Amino acid sequence: MESKLWWVITTPAMYLTVLAGVVMLYVNPALLQTPWMQVKLCFVFGLLVYHFLCQRIMKSLKKETSNWTSTQLRLWNEVATILLFAIVFVVVLKSAVNWIYGLIGLISLAILLMMAVKVYKRYRTKRNF
């Protein structure tokens, strides 16, 4: 099932999104000169790296050679949430908010998500015993 999800939905969606972004920048190349677009593209690049690292993790799980624990995988799953939040944050607010506040917000979101994963693990552990 994960193979179908990966090859039929996730990877084609990634390629379509990158293609749409390239077309947008081709139509309006002045966007590349704006600082917020440069920051956004860095986060998008991070998301692309994340995508291919997830593919590697998926293959190791399939071969049963993965060393990742369930908690590590849950935390890894939140990396995409943080990157997507950062991309939307940069685009919507552009330069309306000081970058320091944005960075503090992003770090706070990451800490909140990590705490939620830990609380959920504790809840799951107590429920199983």
Side-chain angles (χ1 to χ4, degrees), residues 11 32 47 57 86 90 97 109:
T11 300
L32 285 171
L47 198 56
I57 292 169
V90 167
V97 175
L109 174 66

Side-chain angles (χ1 to χ4, degrees), residues 11-43:
T11 300
M14 183 234 358
Y15 286 125
L16 287 172
T17 303
V18 169
L19 179 65
V22 168
V23 168
M24 179 187 70
L25 293 173
Y26 177 77
V27 169
N28 191 359
L31 286 173
L32 285 171
Q33 304 305 318
T34 59
W36 66 269
M37 180 59 80
Q38 295 168 4
V39 172
K40 176 192 169 189
L41 290 175
C42 288
F43 284 128

